[in-house]
Amino acid sequence: MVSHDAHKDVLSALEWKTYSVSWADKEPLLAFVLRGLEMRDCRIVHFSEPNRAPFYIVFDAPSGERHGILVYAFYANARPTTRRPQDEHRFQVKYGGNLKGVLEVAVDPSNLVTTLFMGIDTGEGLFVAADPLMNTPAPMSRSIEFKRAHVDRIRAYGWAVWERDRRPGKSRNRPTADLEDFRTEVLVGGRQDRLLDLVALERIACGLDPGERHLVADKLKELKPNERWVPHAVLEEFGIAPEALFDLIEGASRLKMAVRGWVAEQHLFDALRRLDGVSDCTRLEADGKPDLSIRWKGGAPILIECKNTLRTRYADGRPKVDFQKTRASKGNPCSRYYRSDDFSVLAACLHSVTENWEFRYALTADLEPHKTCSGRIANMIGVAEPKFSADAGSVFESHYNRTA
């Protein structure tokens, strides 16, 4: 349990850049966050002034547990924009008038402070939040768009989750073009009284792939703001007994251990090392390397990359893998896409779709090439036969037959 004094030293433990902003302009955003917490019987202990962004807030949950949150908040609206869809809503990521600036979003590796990154529509009484880690660094003035249909879902159900495609900006002078994460991102929308659930989501799902983040957010959708007990279905996937939401939040370290047990690479390793014909199954825990190396029937090593599917499928029912790296090499945008010779086999984990630890395997040589980057693999892959198979052994056998 974190002591009540722990947050006193947070400024020295976690540093973040602050921005001078208009008190009158930002005060409604801060008031929205504070009121959202109070609606769930939280007691506000401390909050920074609204003329400095991001907002730093310390509160006590009804359980007595103390939490700190760092809130990057922007106005969301549906203001008509030339040559943009009529049903589009958006929030613009910027502080001040420097539209060429770069926003570095601070995320506490110790998990003492939880970062929220969101647009707030004070008129509608709702928020739309994005993954903080996927939005750092962020070029100032970048917009995050969503639709009126998403707003309607939030108003109707209180909580909504959807996926949003991210694409490189058209400006060649974009300062973070090589560093931005253009994988599909998960947006979570909620009414004001669901703000505490967003804190729970960020404490549980920080660092997870988009598909797994989407799954956790879907589980939290089942919570009801004024119910003391969490439905069993929410925590069944974690393999622990149901607990109160506030206990879930204060016990986030234990819950995180369960979530980290969701690591697809470990489940893949466990499955392959038990497979007849596989020997020397090794996890390659190094940046820039494939995830596993195995030998099939004593042959040469086969390198395997494991990727989680997104939770949303194609219209025809195929699961899909967002098959790209989180960053590109400087000056080479195509480097964020894989080559077929980077590794021999792609193992697509279907957990975010089926909620079971099952995999489909494909030879990278058979995957669709990228449309514009020669020698690279397409960044969005549909997982279906005949390219993918549930029979890992047949894929390994095919690899050896081709390379013999």
Side-chain angles (χ1 to χ4, degrees):
M1 181 173 178
V2 178
S3 73
H4 282 198
D5 294 329
H7 287 280
K8 292 181 179 180
D9 298 324
V10 71
L11 291 176
S12 60
L14 174 66
E15 295 182 354
W16 59 86
K17 181 177 180 179
T18 61
Y19 299 84
S20 178
V21 294
S22 166
W23 181 298
D25 184 46
K26 300 302 182 185
E27 193 279 333
L29 297 179
L30 176 60
F32 179 98
V33 176
L34 296 176
R35 179 55 185 153
L37 294 171
E38 290 173 337
M39 292 169 78
R40 298 290 289 277
D41 297 325
C42 295
R43 185 178 72 87
I44 306 301
V45 176
H46 166 81
F47 57 89
S48 58
E49 301 294 347
N51 63 341
R52 303 299 298 178
F55 307 135
Y56 175 58
I57 301 167
V58 180
F59 67 92
D60 289 341
S63 62
E65 181 71 7
R66 183 156 293 184
H67 301 281
I69 58 174
L70 189 63
V71 185
Y72 293 82
F74 312 92
Y75 279 103
N77 58 62
R79 189 176 298 118
T81 303
T82 305
R83 295 189 295 275
R84 298 298 302 176
Q86 293 297 308
D87 65 340
E88 186 176 84
H89 292 236
R90 75 197 63 80
F91 61 94
Q92 196 170 24
V93 178
K94 70 168 187 169
Y95 288 128
N98 181 11
L99 300 186
K100 294 184 179 180
V102 175
L103 177 63
E104 299 284 351
V105 179
V107 178
D108 185 4
S110 72
N111 298 315
L112 183 63
V113 177
T114 303
T115 298
L116 307 182
F117 185 88
M118 68 174 77
I120 295 174
D121 189 325
T122 55
E124 295 279 1
L126 57 83
F127 61 83
V128 172
D131 185 344
L133 285 174
M134 285 191 69
N135 285 277
T136 187
M140 292 288 197
S141 81
R142 181 174 67 83
S143 291
I144 295 179
E145 303 88 8
F146 50 102
K147 297 292 186 179
R148 181 69 209 181
H150 298 129
V151 173
D152 292 341
R153 283 165 54 191
I154 297 168
R155 294 182 66 185
Y157 303 108
W159 183 267
V161 189
W162 65 95
E163 292 171 1
R164 171 180 178 267
D165 291 335
R166 298 188 65 178
R167 295 181 177 87
K170 296 180 180 179
S171 172
R172 294 183 178 180
N173 297 323
R174 196 179 181 105
T176 59
D178 298 327
L179 300 176
E180 288 181 73
D181 188 341
F182 294 121
R183 294 175 300 163
T184 299
E185 72 176 334
V186 175
L187 298 184
V188 177
R191 291 196 298 250
Q192 188 174 12
D193 64 348
R194 299 301 299 267
L195 191 70
L196 189 60
D197 301 332
L198 179 65
V199 177
L201 172 66
E202 294 301 346
R203 286 180 65 84
I204 296 166
C206 180
L208 292 183
D209 283 346
E212 296 296 279
R213 181 181 178 86
H214 195 160
L215 176 58
V216 175
D218 271 352
K219 294 291 183 181
L220 291 176
K221 180 171 59 178
E222 301 173 39
L223 297 172
K224 299 295 187 291
N226 296 318
E227 290 184 0
R228 172 66 180 166
W229 295 98
V230 179
H232 180 72
V234 177
L235 295 179
E236 187 176 85
E237 187 69 26
F238 299 126
I240 60 177
E243 296 178 37
L245 173 60
F246 304 122
D247 293 334
L248 181 153
I249 296 174
E250 79 175 61
S253 59
R254 179 164 57 88
L255 189 56
K256 256 196 180 301
M257 289 177 64
V259 173
R260 292 313 175 201
W262 287 15
V263 176
E265 294 92 330
Q266 183 61 46
H267 286 272
L268 178 62
F269 172 77
D270 291 339
L272 292 183
R273 68 177 176 174
R274 296 192 298 265
L275 184 64
D276 287 343
V278 168
S279 60
D280 297 331
C281 186
T282 305
R283 289 192 66 177
L284 305 176
E285 299 180 358
D287 290 341
K289 298 288 186 182
D291 295 307
L292 276 77
S293 173
I294 64 106
R295 292 180 186 271
W296 176 248
K297 296 181 178 178
I302 300 176
L303 298 179
I304 304 172
E305 180 75 6
C306 179
K307 290 290 186 184
N308 289 300
T309 61
L310 297 171
R311 185 151 171 82
T312 301
R313 304 175 186 236
Y314 283 111
D316 61 8
R318 289 176 299 157
K320 51 185 175 180
V321 173
D322 191 343
F323 196 47
Q324 60 181 306
K325 304 172 187 177
T326 57
R327 302 288 187 268
S329 300
K330 188 172 180 60
N332 182 12
C334 286
S335 63
R336 70 172 67 245
Y337 309 118
Y338 291 101
R339 299 179 185 274
S340 60
D341 58 2
D342 287 340
F343 38 85
S344 300
V345 174
L346 168 63
C349 178
L350 303 184
H351 182 262
S352 64
V353 172
T354 66
E355 301 185 31
N356 292 313
W357 290 110
E358 53 186 294
F359 298 85
R360 299 294 183 269
Y361 305 86
L363 296 176
T364 54
D366 291 340
L367 299 178
E368 182 181 348
H370 197 278
K371 292 181 179 179
T372 58
C373 292
S374 178
R376 304 281 177 169
I377 300 172
N379 62 295
M380 197 65 71
I381 303 292
V383 180
E385 295 180 338
K387 292 181 179 179
F388 282 84
S389 172
D391 185 351
S394 67
V395 175
F396 301 152
E397 197 72 41
S398 178
H399 166 73
Y400 278 142
N401 289 340
R402 295 189 190 187
T403 58

